[in-house]
Structure formats: structure tokens, C-alpha cells
């Protein structure tokens, strides 16, 4: 401990007056679910029972301490047993306990009833972040602490003020979003050690055990943002893996789902593009440093010296400096190293980001390999291919796993039946989430298409909205996601389903205009 | 103390120590016996959703078409396992007693020949003992050559005696790369 | 290890006749009083060592942010603090008291197995040397919590696991040998006429505790052995990849762990059941119900272990079973508290330091019991579990429970041990400083837990800042207060008012029939019990 730190400690303690701190609730939260309310009630019941027993017992004690003291001339009695009294004070507590066990049992039975949920979300803990996967929606993402380390790491002096950050240590980059009033089931598991997913406002705390799944559920009554933390010691940064749940109205939730789906498509496109792009060394190093600071520096340290032996140094490490061990380097970063704290980043970072951070690790802190790694290299290696040491000729590496080669755009005309069949399919995948399978929508945010002026009026206006979206509304443009033929089909479908019998057939050629 | 009264005490002490030492060793052994006992305990109570590690017999109790159970599949790869691993479908609906066949896709992307082991877990845990696997890739280690891919079979039925209040169950597989430990 | 030599320096003046001098006396001693002193000094040194680690923890938590240490070292501190306090401070202190007092209380000349007694003490310093040395190694010390949950302690450990495992093995062997000694001593060396139901309650509680130790310490040894082979020899007891189960670790650990917490509180019951009647000048109320209550608590301790694991995903039936059993423990514990109150009732009380600590024990242990009852309720436990509420609970039970009873016992028997009266003024100062600071230290933790602060975190959200500051101040004050105790003991050894054979007029028991200080050999001829 350096003397300077002590100085800061004293100074900091003087400055951090209570006026700056947030008020802390003095009791358990009542939460925002029926379960958390009954847990709170149970807590209060037991607490009052204990308080009353305490007053009686301690009262008797203090009475005898005051009145039966020798200094007041008290003479000691000689009694030393009374079967009657002893039976009494065995029986009464049993009755009180039964009175407490009853409501506890009913609450518990309710808590453990995971059946009939509306949404299933898989929650996976890993050192030291949470991963959420919406089971039926195909959305998944990591949720990482958003408070910058410059706010909490004060060992070299206070670098940034934490007191102006109301959500210090309780904020994440991407919160879990769930709808209000729907039963959400959590399937909880872990990638490495045991974690515990805890949101006090829901009264949900469930351990995440590696290799096994646990269930918990919640049904939130109030929209809002609720914060929790990992509740099982899971290693070094156990204190830095918060949980944030953003509970939204159903409409806002659907909106969010759509945004996520779009973002997913965009990300896939960017990923595909990055496979053919070649980044310059400077670009790679710049991006790499950012990624390194955000994801790697907590363990391997900004200096690359790590925290041996659990977190080895990267500076001068054979993996990061030997030219023909690049494959291994990529594999470790992409897939992780089993049995160590090193987790795989293949699902957390894009190929481009992984390429950049590996380039950074191979060229920073005097690891001057001069190797520039491209997204395509990462993709090829991660899929099991072996790279040649001469990485500079990376263009020549064939990429087996390149997703979706841009197929010829099919502009041919289709029959009405073909259009309707294809349209129904596309509608189910892209539109039904908001506008519903029966075309009734969820007004007012998602208007009905059945009988809507757009769907039975001017064809071109309809095409325009589907292709380019409607500014100021939740309706997004699908031109980037759907082929002209798919758009034509879905428009045809919308104009002829649910009694919108316009009889219009729209073809790819007219959409492409 | 005269010698006569010392001797019996000594013997009693000796006997007592022997008994207690035996207790100590018995309790040490009991600590290890807890391992198989735990499996029995899990089997009875459905703790932790452990499923049987050997094949079940074919269902002979008929099919209960009045109930429909939703079975969800979750596939995960453990840290460091450079394999792709996914079920062909996310979930299916079955009637209790009805035999179902589901395939899981796996591909070895580790750049070397490897062996993987899938570890199953069922939730709710109580349902685990009603989940009967006739054939499962999790019964065996799965050796795959580098970049080799495979569809692995799972044939199962849900026992007709599944408790009434369970209508949804989740089967999770975690795939571990055990190449190193399997070799040694 | 320095502890041994430090121990000696305070102890070369009080005993007499035919014994070796210098370090050899202490290394080779088979005298129960010498070994008792060694245990007590060792536990006090460990108490200060573990306390110093608590000071590091509280200094880091004094305000939010990482000020002094890095998170990994913080975890090492919480882990080693827990291990040292449980296995190094509380348990050896009780063994020390048992060594000193048991033979005198049952009228025996010594423990039944004196050489084993020497051995069981002298392996302890090695155990803790191994444990503490790992803190100075490159890998750092154990950082997985004193409960060493797998796979954090196996697959994901930092290389200190082997040191931790061997240290625990040695501690376990020491405890088991000590416990065997206590059992055979009580069974075979009681003075003629002392039937089981005439034994002082102190003897009863140690008798039952020793049985608990013999039953569960081997299970702990088995657990750490499995951790060792999982970490270094490729077994898969707790590794899902090889067909093991990390949750099984917790079942096996808590099968040991719950009886273990009663190992640390039952002797405390014995001590206060000795002291309260002495200063109330009235016999203990309900002696036989005390014996039955102690036995039933010991029995129940074997069937409640999973209440530490409600959030691990247990089936409903399991949760209900363990909830009901746990709540049931409140009944015999309540009987004990009521009996103590009834003993004080219509007594003729005086309030010397041992009595003050005993009364504080009854009140504060009961508060710990209340929070224990709250924790037993499974649905609410989902909110309390692994928060500061739990930290508050077990510190109320272990610090104001076990530790206060040890202080009470030490003050009560110091005149017998040293032949001098301790300074009542300093003793009372120690008591009041401890009482106030310990409550400032642990009471606000209840609120921190209820407000949602998880345990074992080096940094916390800003709302917890004010309470943590007060807790830290309480912690520093409590730590400093214990130095008063050191002064009291040293002064008492060095001199002071001569103590009569029976300094407390209400005290009962054979130990007061021998002169103060107790001669090196007592009851070579067994006394006659009427």
C-alpha cells in the first residue's frame, strides 16, 4: 500500500459526505411482482414475531438484571426446574413456528411454479458477464458492466468522479428487456464457475451451475428499470457483474424485439463485409486497443503483463509472439481455453474486432511480430482450417465458411398462388410480430393491415412504406432485408389476405423501381 | 492410584479410542460414499435434473394423447470447446409415451481431431426421471476428426407417468471438449 | 513459525516442579494445563492475524471504489480471514478451554491421552504456516471463499489449492485427535460418583461437540481430498464434463459445514451455562432440559445442511423439508435462552466482566438466532441469501456468540490459571468497548443486506457508502479493543491481587476446590462426589 493511496483514502472519506450518497432503503424491497410482495410480507411477519419475542425475553432479562441484583439486596431464590414452565416454552414456540411455516409454504409453492410461461429466456453467467438468449425470438447478447474502470479503480488516485454516476457499478451496456405482465421463465446456467442471478425487485435469485440448468420465473407488474448483481462468489470480478432488467410495456417490447432483429441482420451483413475487407495496420491497432481495454485489460492488464499465474502475461508470451502460433492465438481468443479463466470471444465480438485485438496483442508492448490479422483469417481458423505462417498473403486463404454468397437476384415474375404462398411465409417471419398473423395489428403502435387504406389503396404507396419504412413510426424499411421478390410477395399477400381482396399482384420488377 | 484401578481404565480408554478411530475412518469413507448416494438422492428427488446415463427400455405403457408436452432443446458448448453444436429444432411437442427422434448437429472446428462429451440436464428437475432416452449421443464420447461434421441422434419419450403439473420441459446439453483427458 | 516462540515468552513463570525448561518444556509437554495454554495463546495469535485481515477488508470497503487492494487479493483476504477465524481462532480456543478445564471439572489427573494431546496441538502451527505461506507465493493464497465451492476451487483455482487442502487436512487431524481425547477422557476418567447427569453442563457440551467433530471432520477431509484430486489428478467429482456435479460439492461440504457451526456454538452454551449461575448465585435452571436441548440441536444439525443451498435449484419437496427442519432448531435453542433467563430470574446478580460478556452473549446470540430463523424461511432466504444479511447473521452468532463466550470463560477462569485477579477496570473497559464497537460493526450489516448488498464484493454501489463507512469504523474500533484484552491477560499473568481458590462466591464445580493458580498436577487422587 502506497502512502499516496492512504492520502486519497482520507481525502475521499472527507469529501464523500452523506449528502452526496444516494439514500439507502432500510428494509427489504417490496419489489414489483406478486411474489416479491408476498416475500416482503413474510419477511415483515417473521421480523415482527422475532421483535415481540425479543421484547418479552430481553424484557424479562433486564427486569431481573435491574431488580434482582445483589447491590439492591436481592436474595437468590433456589428453584431450578419447573416441568410445567418448560413444557410451556417448548410448546408455544412450536405453535408460533407452525404459524410461520404456513404462509412460507404457500409462497414457496407459488415461487416454484414455472409452468405456463409466455417467454423463455436463457440466462448464462460467465466470468464476469451475463448472456441472455431469447429462446423463441433468436435474439442473444452479452450484458457487461458499463461503469468505466477509471471510476472504480482508484489505486493510483481518483481518476474520474464516481459520485455523479447514480448507477455506479449497477449499469450495463445492454440490459435484459422483458415485457410487463407476462410470465417470463428464466433458464439459468453457467459457462465456467457458479454464479447467481439476482434481481431483488423480482425476488428472483437462482444459482447458475455449469453444465446444469435451473429455472426461475417472474411476472412484473410495473414497467421500469430494475438492478441486481451476481450473488455467488465467482472469482476476481464478482463485484463487477451487475444485472439490469428493463421492463417495458408490451408495445415497447415488441418494438424493441424488431429493432433487435434488424440490428442482427445488419450485424450479419457487416460480418460478411468484413470478410472481404482488408484493414490497414493502423486501423487494426486502433480498434484493437479499444477492444483490448474493454474486454481483456481487466485480467491481462493494460500493460499486457497480466496477473500471473491465473492470468498470464501477453507481453512476450510465446503464443502472442511466435509467428506460426497465430492459429493457436486465434483459437484461444475465439473459443477460449478450457479449464482456465480464458473464455471464448467468438460469440461476443465480431470477426473484425477479434482480428483487431489479436493484431493489437501481437504488436503492442514490444510484441513486434508485424503480423496484421484480418477478419477472414479469424473466420477461417476458427472454423478449423490451418493458416500458413505467412499471414501477409491472407487474401489467398480460401474461406469455406463464408456465409450467404450473394446469389443472383431473382427478378422473375411469379403467379398469384406463388406470390401468396411466399408472401405468407415472409409475412409470418417479418411482419406478424407486430401486425399479427390475422392482420389485426396491435393499435395504436402497430396499425391493422386488414382493411387498412394503405393495403387496399395505392400500390406504389404501399411498396414505398414496405421498402423504405414510415418515418416517425415503428415501421422500418425492409429493402435491405428482403429481396425484391420477397417484398413483392409480401405486399401481394397483404393486399389479398384477410378479406383485403384487391386482386393486385405485385411483381419484383415493380418493387425494384 | 493403585495399579489395579489403573489397568481397567487403560483398557477402557484403548477400546474407546479404537471405536472412535473406526468411526473416523467410517465417516471418511462415508464422505466418498456420499458421491453415489447423491446420485441415488438425485434420482429420487429429481435434484439438479440429472438424467440416466444409460439407455431406457422402449415404452410399453401406451400413449396418452390427451396431454401434450412441449420439449425444448438447448445446446451449449463449454468454454474452450471449439465445436459447433445445435439441435435441428428448438422445441417439439410430444404426447407422453410417444417416441420422438431428434438430431443434433456437431462440427469439430478446433483444428485438430478431438473427442467431445455432451452432458444432459433436464429442467424442471422433477421431470428428469420421466425423460426416457432410448438412444442418446450423450451416452458415449463423440470422436470427430478436424472439421468433420455429424448429425447425432436422440431418441426419447416422456414417461406416461409425468406429473400432471408439468407441461413443459427443457433438455439442455453442454458439449465439453474432453480430448486431453480422454487420451490420458 | 514465530507464534510458538512468542507463546513461550509469557509463560515461563507460573508453574513449578520436575519439568523441562525453555522451549523443550513446551515442545514435549503432555500436561493438560500447558497444552491448554498453548492452544489459548495460539488461538489468540490467530485471532489477531485473522482480525488484521478483517481490517484490510474493512479498509478497502471504507468507501466505494478500489482504494488499497485489488479484487483478487480482497478475495484472498475474505477466504483466509474465514478459515483462520473458524479453524485457527474459535476452534482451538475451545479446545484450549477443554484441555484446561475438563480434567479439573471431572476430577481427573490429566487428559486420557496426554501424548496424543501434545501431538494434536503441535501440528496446528504447521497447518497455519502452510495456509499463510500461500499468501506470499506468486499464485496468491486461496481466493475461493472459506466454503471453497467447486469449480472455483478446482478447475478455476489459482494454484494455491494444494496448500489449502493440506492445511485443512492437518487442521482436521488435529481436531479429530483432540475430540477423541475429549471423548475418552469424559467417558473413562470421571471421578467416582460423577454420573453423566451430574457432569457440569460445560462438560456435556464439549462431550457432544467432540462427537460432532468426530462425525464431520472426516467428511471435510474427504471433501478436500476430492477437491485435490479434481484439481490435480483429473478426477471429475465436481466437474460436469466428466459426469460430476458442482452442486454435489455443496451438499457434501454443508453436510460437514452445518454441524461445524454447532461445533462452534455448543461449547459456548456450556460456558455461559457455567457463568450465569455463578453470578446469579442460583443453580442453573433446567439442567436436564439443557442436556436434551444440546443433544437435539446436535442431532438436527445433521439434517438441515441444504438450507445453505436453497438457491441452487432444489426440488420443492427438498426445500420444504429443509425449511421445516431448520425452523425446528429454534425450539431447543429457545429452551436454552429461556433457561438462562430463568436462571437470572430472582437471582442475586453481580456484574463482573465474565457475567457482562455472558449477558451480552445471551442477548446478541439471540439476535443472531432471530436472523437465523428469518434465513430459515426458504422464500425469504431467496432475498437474504449471499447478502450482508447473512454476514451479519453469522457474525452475530460467531463473534458475539462464540467469541464473547470465550472471553467470558477466559475472564472467569483467569484467576484459576494465573493465581491473580485480572484488572476488573480494564476488563470492563474491554467489555464496553467491544460491545459498542461490535454492534456498530455488525448491526448495520443487516440493513446493507436488506437493501441488496451482496457479500464478498470489494466495491459497492453508492447507496451503500454511508453504512459501510460506519461498519468499517466499528470494525477498526472492535479490532483495537481486543488489544485491551491482551493487556489484561499479560498484567494478570505478571501480577495483581492474589486470587483465592474460589474467587467467585456463586461458582460451583471441582475446579474451585484446588488452589489458585491450579497446581501443575491436580486430582492425582480422584475426589469423592456426593
Amino acid at each position: 500500500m502506497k502512502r499516496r493511496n492512504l492520502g486519497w483514502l482520507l481525502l475521499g472519506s472527507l469529501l464523500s459526505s452523506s449528502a452526496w450518497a444516494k439514500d439507502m432503503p432500510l428494509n427489504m424491497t417490496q419489489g414489483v411482482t406478486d411474489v416479491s410482495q408476498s416475500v416482503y410480507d413474510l419477511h415483515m411477519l417473521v421480523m415482527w414475531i422475532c421483535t415481540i419475542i425479543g421484547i418479552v425475553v430481553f424484557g424479562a432479562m433486564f427486569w431481573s438484571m435491574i431488580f434482582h441484583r445483589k447491590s439492591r439486596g436481592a436474595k437468590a431464590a433456589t428453584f431450578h426446574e419447573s416441568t410445567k414452565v418448560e413444557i410451556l416454552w417448548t410448546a408455544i414456540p412450536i405453535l408460533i413456528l407452525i404459524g410461520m411455516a404456513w404462509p412460507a409454504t404457500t409462497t414457496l409453492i407459488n415461487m416454484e411454479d414455472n409452468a405456463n410461461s409466455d417467454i423463455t429466456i436463457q440466462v448464462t453467467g460467465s466470468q464476469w458477464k451475463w448472456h441472455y438468449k431469447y429462446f423463441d425470438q433468436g435474439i442473444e447478447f452479452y450484458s457487461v458492466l458499463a461503469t468505466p474502470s477509471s471510476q472504480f479503480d482508484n489505486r493510483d488516485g481518483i481518476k474520474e468522479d464516481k459520485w455523479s454516476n447514480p448507477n455506479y457499478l449497477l449499469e450495463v451496456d445492454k440490459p435484459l428487456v422483458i415485457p410487463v405482465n407476462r410470465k417470463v421463465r428464466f433458464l439459468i446456467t453457467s459457462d465456467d464457475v457458479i454464479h447467481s442471478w439476482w434481481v431483488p425487485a423480482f425476488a428472483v435469485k437462482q444459482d447458475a451451475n455449469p453444465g446444469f440448468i435451473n429455472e426461475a420465473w417472474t411476472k412484473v407488474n410495473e414497467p421500469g428499470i430494475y438492478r441486481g448483481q451476481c450473488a455467488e462468489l465467482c472469482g476476481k470480478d464478482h463485484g463487477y457483474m451487475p444485472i439490469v432488467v428493463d421492463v417495458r410495456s408490451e408495445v415497447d417490447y415488441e418494438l424493441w424485439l424488431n429493432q433487435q432483429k434488424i440490428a442482427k441482420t445488419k450485424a450479419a451483413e457487416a460480418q460478411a463485409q468484413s470478410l472481404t475487407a482488408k484493414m490497414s495496420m493502423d486501423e487494426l491497432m486502433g480498434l484493437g486497443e479499444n477492444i483490448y481495454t474493454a474486454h481483456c485489460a481487466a485480467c491481462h492488464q493494460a500493460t499486457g503483463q497480466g496477473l500471473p499465474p491465473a492470468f498470464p502475461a501477453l507481453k512476450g508470451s510465446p503464443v502472442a509472439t511466435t509467428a506460426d502460433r497465430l492459429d493457436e492465438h486465434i483459437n484461444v481468443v475465439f473459443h477460449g481455453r478450457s479449464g482456465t479463466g480464458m473464455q471464448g470471444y467468438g460469440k461476443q465480438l465480431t470477426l473484425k474486432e477479434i482480428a483487431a485485438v489479436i493484431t493489437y496483442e501481437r504488436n503492442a508492448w514490444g510484441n513486434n511480430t508485424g503480423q496484421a490479422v484480418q477478419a477472414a483469417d479469424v473466420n477461417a481458423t476458427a472454423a478449423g482450417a490451418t493458416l500458413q505462417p505467412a499471414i501477409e498473403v491472407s487474401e489467398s486463404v480460401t474461406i469455406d465458411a463464408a456465409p450467404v454468397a450473394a446469389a443472383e437476384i431473382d427478378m422473375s415474375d411469379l403467379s398469384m398462388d406463388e406470390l401468396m404462398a411466399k408472401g405468407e411465409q415472409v409475412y409470418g417471419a417479418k411482419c406478424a410480430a407486430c401486425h399479427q398473423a390475422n392482420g389485426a395489428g396491435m393499435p395504436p403502435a402497430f396499425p391493422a393491415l386488414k382493411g387498412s387504406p394503405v393495403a387496399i389503396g395505392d400500390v406504389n404507396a404501399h411498396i414505398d412504406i414496405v421498402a423504405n419504412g414510415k418515418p416517425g413510426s415503428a415501421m422500418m424499411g425492409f429493402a435491405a432485408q428482403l429481396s425484391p421478390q420477397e417484398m413483392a410477395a409480401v405486399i401481394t399477400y397483404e393486399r389479398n389476405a384477410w378479406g383485403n381482396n384487391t386482386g393486385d399482384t405485385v411483381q419484383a420488377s415493380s418493387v425494384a423501381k | 492410584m493403585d495399579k489395579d484401578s489403573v489397568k481397567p481404565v487403560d483398557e477402557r480408554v484403548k477400546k474407546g479410542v479404537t471405536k472412535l478411530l473406526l468411526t473416523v475412518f467410517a465417516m471418511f469413507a462415508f464422505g466418498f460414499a456420499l458421491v453415489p448416494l447423491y446420485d441415488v438422492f438425485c434420482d429420487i428427488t429429481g435434484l439438479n435434473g440429472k438424467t440416466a446415463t444409460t439407455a431406457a427400455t422402449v415404452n410399453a405403457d401406451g400413449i396418452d394423447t390427451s396431454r401434450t408436452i412441449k420439449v425444448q432443446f438447448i445446446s451449449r458448448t463449454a468454454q474452450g470447446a471449439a465445436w459447433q453444436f445445435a439441435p435441428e429444432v428448438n422445441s417439439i411437442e410430444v404426447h407422453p409415451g410417444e417416441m420422438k427422434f431428434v438430431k443434433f448437429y456437431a462440427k469439430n472446428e478446433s483444428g485438430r481431431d478431438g473427442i467431445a462429451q455432451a452432458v444432459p440436464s433436464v429442467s424442471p428437475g422433477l421431470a428428469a426421471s420421466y425423460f426416457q432416452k432410448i438412444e442418446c449421443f450423450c451416452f458415449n464420447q463423440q470422436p470427430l476428426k478436424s472439421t468433420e461434421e455429424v448429425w447425432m441422434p436422440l431418441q426419447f419419450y416422456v414417461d406416461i407417468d409425468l406429473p400432471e403439473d408439468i407441461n413443459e420441459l427443457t433438455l439442455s446439453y453442454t458439449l465439453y471438449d474432453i480430448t486431453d483427458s480422454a487420451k490420458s | 513459525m514465530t507464534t510458538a516462540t512468542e507463546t513461550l515468552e509469557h509463560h515461563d513463570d507460573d508453574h513449578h516442579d520436575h519439568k523441562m525448561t525453555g522451549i523443550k518444556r513446551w515442545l514435549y509437554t503432555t500436561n493438560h494445563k500447558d497444552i491448554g495454554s498453548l492452544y489459548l495463546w495460539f488461538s489468540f495469535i490467530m485471532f489477531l492475524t485473522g482480525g488484521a485481515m478483517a481490517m484490510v477488508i474493512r479498509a478497502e470497503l471504507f468507501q466505494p471504489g478500489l482504494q488499497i487492494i485489488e479484487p483478487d487479493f480482497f478475495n484472498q483476504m475474505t477466504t483466509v480471514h474465514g478459515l483462520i477465524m473458524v479453524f485457527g481462532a474459535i476452534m482451538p480456543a475451545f479446545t484450549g478451554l477443554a484441555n484446561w478445564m475438563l480434567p479439573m471439572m471431572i476430577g481427573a489427573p490429566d487428559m486420557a491421552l496426554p501424548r496424543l494431546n501434545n501431538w494434536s496441538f503441535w501440528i496446528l502451527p504447521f497447518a497455519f504456516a502452510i495456509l499463510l505461506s500461500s499468501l506470499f507465493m506468486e499464485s496468491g493464497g486461496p481466493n475461493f471463499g472459506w466454503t471453497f465451492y467447486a469449480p472455483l476451487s478446482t478447475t478455476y483455482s489459482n494454484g494455491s489449492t494444494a496448500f489449502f487442502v493440506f492445511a485443512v487436512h492437518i487442521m482436521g487431524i488435529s481436531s479429530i485427535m483432540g475430540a477423541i481425547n475429549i471423548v475418552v477422557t469424559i467417558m473413562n476418567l470421571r471421578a467416582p460418583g460423577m454420573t453423566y447427569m451430574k457432569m457440569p453442563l460445560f462438560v456435556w457440551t464439549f462431550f457432544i461437540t467432540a462427537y460432532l467433530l468426530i462425525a464431520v471432520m472426516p467428511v471435510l477431509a474427504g471433501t478436500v481430498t476430492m477437491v485435490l484430486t479434481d484439481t490435480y489428478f483429473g478426477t471429475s467429482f465436481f466437474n460436469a464434463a466428466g459426469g460430476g456435479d458442482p452442486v454435489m460439492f455443496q451438499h457434501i461440504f454443508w453436510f460437514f459445514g452445518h454441524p461445524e457451526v454447532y461445533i462452534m456454538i455448543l461449547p459456548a452454551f456450556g460456558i455461559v451455562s457455567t457463568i450465569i449461575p455463578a453470578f446469579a448465585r442460583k443453580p442453573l435452571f433446567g439442567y436436564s432440559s439443557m442436556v436434551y436441548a444440546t443433544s437435539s440441536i446436535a442431532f438436527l444439525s445433521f439434517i438441515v445442511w441444504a438450507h445453505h443451498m436453497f438457491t441452487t435449484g432444489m426440488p420443492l419437496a427438498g426445500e420444504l423439508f429443509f425449511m421445516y427442519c431448520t425452523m425446528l432448531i429454534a425450539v431447543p435453542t429457545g429452551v436454552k435462552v429461556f433457561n438462562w433467563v430463568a436462571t437470572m430470574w430472582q437471582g442475586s446478580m453481580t456484574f463482573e466482566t465474565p457475567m457482562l460478556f455472558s449477558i451480552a452473549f445471551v442477548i446478541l446470540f439471540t439476535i443472531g438466532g432471530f436472523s437465523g430463523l428469518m434465513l430459515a424461511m426458504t422464500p425469504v432466504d431467496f432475498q437474504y441469501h449471499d447478502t450482508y444479511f447473512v454476514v451479519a447473521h453469522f457474525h452475530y452468532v460467531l463473534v458475539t456468540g462464540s467469541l464473547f463466550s470465550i472471553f467470558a470463560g477466559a475472564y472467569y477462569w483467569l484467576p484459576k490459571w494465573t493465581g491473580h485477579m485480572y484488572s476488573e477496570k480494564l476488563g470492563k473497559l474491554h467489555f464496553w468497548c467491544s460491545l459498542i464497537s461490535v454492534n456498530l460493526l455488525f448491526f448495520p450489516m443487516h440493513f446493507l443486506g436488506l437493501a441488496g448488498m451482496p457479500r464478498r464484493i470489494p466495491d459497492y454501489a453508492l447507496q451503500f457508502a454511508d453504512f459501510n463507512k460506519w461498519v468499517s469504523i466499528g470494525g477498526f474500533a472492535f479490532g483495537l479493543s481486543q488489544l485491551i484484552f491482551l493487556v489484561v491477560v499479560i498484567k494478570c499473568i505478571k501480577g495483581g491481587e492474589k486470587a483465592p481458590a474460589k474467587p467467585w462466591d456463586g461458582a460451583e464445580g471441582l475446579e474451585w476446590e484446588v488452589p489458585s493458580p491450579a497446581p501443575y498436577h491436580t486430582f492425582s487422587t480422584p475426589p469423592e462426589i456426593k
Side-chain angles (χ1 to χ4, degrees), chain C residues 202 268-282 284 340 343 350 352-359 404-413 504 506-507 512:
Chain C
F202 180 90
F269 293 164
I271 295 168
V272 293
S273 300
T274 312
I275 293 173
I276 289 178
F279 294 94
R281 291 167 183 78
K282 195 165 152 280
L284 180 66
W340 290 322
T343 307
T350 51
E352 287 85 350
T353 313
M355 184 60 164
L356 289 176
F357 271 109
S358 298
I359 289 171
F404 271 30
S405 79
I406 292 165
F407 283 143
Y411 281 109
Y412 184 61
W413 286 301
W504 318 114
W512 305 114

Side-chain angles (χ1 to χ4, degrees), chain A residues 201-234:
Chain A
F202 305 164
V204 170
K205 184 185 283 156
Q206 198 64 248
D207 286 4
N209 297 320
F212 296 88
I213 45 172
N214 260 334
E215 282 188 73
W217 69 272
T218 193
K219 190 173 169 187
V220 185
N221 300 331
E222 298 271 328
I225 292 177
Y226 304 105
R227 296 168 199 277
Q229 282 176 275
C230 176
E232 182 63 63
L233 178 63
C234 55

Side-chain angles (χ1 to χ4, degrees), chain C residues 337-522:
Chain C
V337 174
F338 298 142
N339 282 352
W340 290 322
V341 176
T343 307
M344 289 186 224
W345 189 256
Q346 293 192 348
S348 169
M349 279 196 274
T350 51
F351 299 92
E352 287 85 350
T353 313
M355 184 60 164
L356 289 176
F357 271 109
S358 298
I359 289 171
F361 168 91
V362 176
I363 294 174
L364 299 176
F365 169 77
T366 306
I367 291 176
F370 285 148
S371 55
L373 184 59
M374 296 167 84
L375 283 159
M377 316 280 285
T378 314
V380 204
D381 181 71
F382 280 99
Q383 291 283 47
Y384 302 140
H385 177 75
D386 264 339
T387 67
Y388 262 76
F389 192 82
V390 178
V391 180
H393 160 71
F394 68 72
H395 280 100
Y396 262 88
V397 177
L398 280 181
V399 177
T400 59
S402 309
L403 181 67
F404 271 30
S405 79
I406 292 165
F407 283 143
Y411 281 109
Y412 184 61
W413 286 301
L414 260 178
K416 180 59 59 189
W417 297 339
T418 63
H420 305 123
M421 296 305 288
Y422 61 87
S423 158
E424 194 62 57
K425 218 159 113 191
L426 280 178
K428 285 202 166 118
L429 181 72
H430 173 222
F431 169 75
W432 287 109
C433 287
S434 296
L435 182 76
I436 294 164
S437 57
V438 87
N439 281 295
L440 182 60
L441 167 57
F442 296 123
F443 206 75
M445 285 187 182
H446 289 114
F447 298 109
L448 282 170
L450 291 176
M453 178 167 164
R455 62 191 280 209
R456 291 168 166 167
I457 54 173
D459 192 359
Y460 46 82
L462 300 180
Q463 51 173 333
F464 306 129
D466 287 349
F467 271 67
N468 268 294
K469 200 189 293 175
W470 287 111
V471 167
S472 286
I473 292 170
F476 301 141
F478 184 70
L480 287 175
S481 308
Q482 303 325 306
L483 300 178
I484 305 173
F485 180 66
L486 184 65
V487 173
V488 173
V489 174
I490 290 175
K491 274 185 69 159
C492 186
I493 290 170
K494 289 243 157 89
E497 190 194 328
K498 275 265 163 247
K502 184 174 157 186
W504 318 114
D505 53 0
E508 281 190 41
L510 290 175
E511 75 263 36
W512 305 114
E513 288 175 16
V514 298
S516 299
Y520 200 58
H521 297 292
T522 42

Side-chain angles (χ1 to χ4, degrees), chain A residues 20-309:
Chain A
W20 289 22
K22 276 208 306 185
D23 281 338
M24 187 181 89
L26 289 179
N27 202 350
M28 181 188 283
T29 173
Q30 300 193 27
V32 288
T33 65
D34 295 346
V35 166
S36 68
Q37 182 63 46
S38 51
V39 164
Y40 171 82
D41 293 340
L42 203 53
H43 158 73
M44 291 311 285
L45 172 77
V46 189
M47 205 173 73
W48 282 116
I49 290 176
C50 289
T51 310
I52 292 164
I53 298 174
I55 289 171
V56 173
V57 174
F58 300 151
M61 260 179 90
F62 279 101
W63 178 275
S64 55
M65 280 195 282
I66 293 165
F67 294 103
H68 307 152
R69 56 201 299 157
K70 198 182 176 195
S71 52
R72 291 186 119 214
K75 282 271 183 304
T78 52
F79 66 86
H80 58 89
E81 58 187 352
S82 159
T83 318
K84 216 184 279 171
V85 174
E86 286 172 64
I87 289 174
L88 205 64
W89 68 39
T90 312
I92 293 175
I94 290 178
L95 293 178
I96 296 174
L97 288 178
I98 292 172
M100 280 158 48
W102 190 265
T105 307
T106 45
T107 307
L108 190 62
I109 289 172
N110 185 25
M111 281 175 111
E112 294 291 323
D113 176 18
N114 292 301
N116 302 322
S117 61
D118 301 314
I119 299 168
T120 302
I121 297 172
Q122 187 186 333
V123 179
T124 312
S126 64
Q127 283 179 328
W128 294 278
K129 57 188 71 123
W130 293 98
H131 177 260
Y132 302 108
K133 182 176 179 186
Y134 292 69
F135 202 73
D136 297 315
Q137 284 80 9
I139 297 170
E140 55 181 312
F141 54 87
Y142 279 88
S143 181
V144 188
L145 174 75
T147 308
S149 67
S150 50
Q151 281 185 20
F152 60 77
D153 193 345
N154 306 327
R155 278 168 298 165
D156 298 316
I158 293 163
K159 278 161 273 179
E160 204 183 317
D161 174 33
K162 61 172 73 69
W163 296 95
S164 55
N165 179 356
N167 299 318
Y168 173 73
L169 294 189
L170 296 176
E171 52 190 350
V172 296
D173 58 346
K174 282 189 87 176
L176 174 68
V177 178
I178 59 170
V180 78
N181 291 327
R182 301 277 290 274
K183 186 164 179 175
V184 182
R185 185 170 73 122
F186 301 108
L187 291 172
I188 301 170
T189 183
S190 163
D191 273 342
D192 36 47
V193 298
I194 299 174
H195 303 268
S196 191
W197 197 80
W198 179 34
V199 179
F202 305 164
V204 170
K205 184 185 283 156
Q206 198 64 248
D207 286 4
N209 297 320
F212 296 88
I213 45 172
N214 260 334
E215 282 188 73
W217 69 272
T218 193
K219 190 173 169 187
V220 185
N221 300 331
E222 298 271 328
I225 292 177
Y226 304 105
R227 296 168 199 277
Q229 282 176 275
C230 176
E232 182 63 63
L233 178 63
C234 55
K236 184 170 83 68
D237 284 349
H238 163 55
Y240 300 97
M241 54 182 294
I243 295 149
V244 180
V245 184
D246 183 353
V247 180
R248 301 192 180 181
S249 68
E250 293 222 22
V251 175
D252 288 346
Y253 171 70
E254 294 294 343
L255 196 63
W256 178 85
L257 276 184
N258 273 315
Q259 286 164 350
Q260 295 307 303
K261 284 173 187 163
I262 301 165
K264 196 179 161 192
T265 327
K266 292 237 171 85
E269 278 165 17
Q271 189 89 308
Q273 271 169 16
S274 72
L275 285 173
T276 51
K278 187 164 160 60
M279 292 174 75
S280 75
M281 189 68 169
D282 286 348
E283 284 172 332
L284 285 167
M285 287 298 281
L287 177 62
E289 184 170 4
N290 289 338
I291 303 291
Y292 185 85
T293 312
H295 291 91
C296 318
C299 298
H300 294 292
Q301 305 292 297
T303 56
Q305 286 169 335
L307 296 167

Side-chain angles (χ1 to χ4, degrees), chain C residues 8 11 22-29 34 37-38 118 122:
Chain C
L8 305 181
H11 259 271
I23 192 157
K24 275 191 179 170
R25 171 190 165 188
W26 297 100
L27 273 176
Y28 298 149
T29 183
D34 280 356
S37 304
L38 285 172
N118 169 290
W122 275 111

Side-chain angles (χ1 to χ4, degrees), chain C residues 318-338:
Chain C
E319 287 177 332
L320 288 174
F321 172 80
F322 287 111
M323 173 169 81
Y324 297 148
C325 288
T326 308
M327 291 170 77
L328 217 50
I329 294 180
V331 176
T333 315
V335 166
K336 286 186 161 290
V337 174
F338 298 142

